Structure formats: C-alpha cells, structure tokens
Amino acid sequence: MAAITAVMTSAVRTPLSGPYMDRRIGSERNYPNSSEPGLFLRFVSLVHMKIEFYFDPICAWCWITSRWISEVAAHRELDLTWRPFSLAIKNDPEGTGEYTPRRMWGLQGLRVIESARQEVGDEAVAHIYTEMGARKHNDGVEFPEFVDILRSAGMSPALANAAHDEAWDDVIKESMAAALDLAGEQVGVPTIVYEGRTAYFGPVMSPAPTGEAALRLWDSLATLATDTDGFFELKRTRIIGPIFGERPT
C-alpha cells in the first residue's frame, strides 16, 4: 500500500481517498476506495499518458475532437504530441476527387506545420493548428491564408513557402504509416494512439463535452483502449453536422 500511495500522490498530488475539489474544473470528485489498489493503479494509468493525436486541419470532426483532447490534456497532464495525417494522400492520391481543393489545402497546411516543427520544435504545432482550425471551422473561411495564420501564431511568415513543397509529403506519409500500422487501413482522422501501443479512430462527436463530462469521456475511452485488447469498433450513424464550441483565442 505504501508503494501505491507514493505513486498516486506523485501523479495527482491530492488525497488518496474520499472527495476532493478539482480546482481545474471546479467540482468535487472521488478517488477509488483505498482498499482497492487495482482501481488506484488503473486511475493513475490514465494520468500522464503518452498520447499521439493524428489530424488534418481540413476535417471539421477532427477539429471538434482536438479541442476536447486539448482540454483533457491539461487536467490529465497528458504527454500530447500532434501528428500529421493527410486525407488528400489517404483518400485522393490522384487529386481528382470531389473534395480535392479542400483536401489539398489541408495537405498544404500540414506541410507548413511540419516545416515549423523542424524550424521551431513540437510546441509550434499546436499553435499553428489552433489558428488554422479557428479560421477554417469557427470563422468559416474556406481557405485561410497560411501567412496570416503564421503571423497570428507568432511564427515566421516565410514558413508558408512549405505549402507547395512536396518534399514534406515524405514526412507526412511516414507519420501516417505509423498510425495505420496500429489502427489499420480503414481509418482517417481523428486517430489517437495510446502509449504507443494501441490506436483507434475517433471519438467523433458533435458537440464535444467540456468540463467534468470531457474528463469522464477521456477516462472511459482511455480505459477501453488500454484494457481491452479485443475491442475493435463501436459506431452509430451521424444525424447532425459539426457543432463547434467556443472559438479558441
């Protein structure tokens, strides 16, 4: 029990049992009873997880999920890395489909993002994606200008030159291959990789939950993804379109 206590205290810095006030979401929660160490360790495993989120800035559904996981990441202290996944490369490699112009904008955006990652570091990705998504999905701009996005994100406008540089496609394809190896070929975005071991497409939702509900959804999905090796699919038909939350600033 002493070892469990040490791990739990290190992970969440709060009492081990009974109610506590989670100041980050402003509500009271309860930890599993201290007589159930298995529940303790399962709860701890949901905190500080290594997560890779695969995205294409063109996808409205992925944008909704990205805002949800961004909120969750702070409360669950996730080690969150953003990875490129091009729907143009995956679904329209010949560039002749109905959605080719939209998908190409997404691919160009990913090239810009990967250029910024190389130039600035991983921390640049979330800033640029947030600006892209806010302008594209919240503001309804069909093809936001990359120069304006980069300026708003505090990056050099010169990074926009990467938009038409196909050399970046190899980096994107390598990233996609890692996701597809884990999740299979029949996935798109969002795809989430949990601890480098398992990957699932989704969740797809409209609107995304926030606050306590966002954390409950995360805890449930993360438990399912890491505890149930034989789970593959859970789905129902969408009956509404994308509903975006508050525009990020």
Side-chain angles (χ1 to χ4, degrees):
M1 181 58 68
I4 295 172
T5 300
V7 171
M8 179 62 90
T9 304
S10 172
V12 293
R13 303 180 186 89
T14 48
L16 291 179
S17 62
Y20 72 95
M21 180 61 69
D22 188 335
R23 292 186 297 274
R24 295 168 296 187
I25 58 176
S27 62
E28 189 177 85
R29 307 190 66 227
N30 284 278
Y31 282 125
N33 187 279
S34 59
S35 64
E36 302 179 74
L39 289 179
F40 268 142
L41 294 179
R42 191 172 299 120
F43 184 89
V44 171
S45 72
L46 303 180
V47 182
H48 298 301
M49 291 183 72
K50 180 181 179 182
I51 299 298
E52 294 169 279
F53 187 95
Y54 286 79
F55 71 98
D56 186 323
I58 197 60
C59 180
W61 300 101
C62 186
W63 172 245
I64 293 172
T65 306
S66 75
R67 298 309 90 193
W68 162 75
I69 203 167
S70 294
E71 178 180 357
V72 168
H75 300 309
R76 288 293 180 260
E77 301 180 36
L78 304 180
D79 179 5
L80 177 60
T81 302
W82 303 90
R83 300 292 187 197
F85 191 112
S86 170
L87 296 177
I89 292 174
K90 177 70 166 54
N91 298 329
D92 190 16
E94 301 300 322
T96 57
E98 177 183 358
Y99 302 109
T100 293
R102 297 177 67 251
R103 288 170 174 163
M104 277 305 302
W105 180 86
L107 175 55
Q108 290 169 356
L110 291 174
R111 292 169 180 166
V112 171
I113 284 173
E114 289 309 302
S115 175
R117 191 197 304 269
Q118 178 175 289
E119 182 81 15
V120 181
D122 283 338
E123 64 273 15
V125 178
H127 295 301
I128 299 175
Y129 179 36
T130 296
E131 287 292 335
M132 285 183 180
R135 291 165 187 253
K136 172 63 183 172
H137 303 297
N138 293 92
D139 298 345
V141 179
E142 186 174 14
F143 300 119
E145 294 290 336
F146 297 124
V147 168
D148 296 337
I149 288 168
L150 289 163
R151 285 199 179 105
S152 294
M155 310 288 170
S156 170
L159 292 168
N161 294 330
H164 301 285
D165 186 352
E166 295 182 2
W168 290 106
D169 293 359
D170 289 339
V171 176
I172 297 168
K173 290 176 182 177
E174 183 179 352
S175 171
M176 294 170 61
L180 296 172
D181 282 347
L182 287 172
E185 291 290 330
Q186 296 180 335
V187 301
V189 294
T191 289
I192 300 176
V193 176
Y194 301 80
E195 294 285 357
R197 297 186 293 110
T198 57
Y200 290 95
F201 170 73
V204 175
M205 49 200 165
S206 180
T210 59
E212 182 76 21
L215 300 184
R216 285 198 303 269
L217 176 60
W218 168 257
D219 293 345
S220 300
L221 288 175
T223 299
L224 182 64
T226 56
D227 278 7
T228 312
D229 291 340
F231 178 78
F232 294 100
E233 186 172 357
L234 182 67
K235 186 175 183 178
R236 69 171 178 166
T237 301
R238 296 193 299 264
I239 58 174
I240 58 175
I243 299 174
F244 306 118
E246 183 178 347
R247 187 192 193 281
T249 56

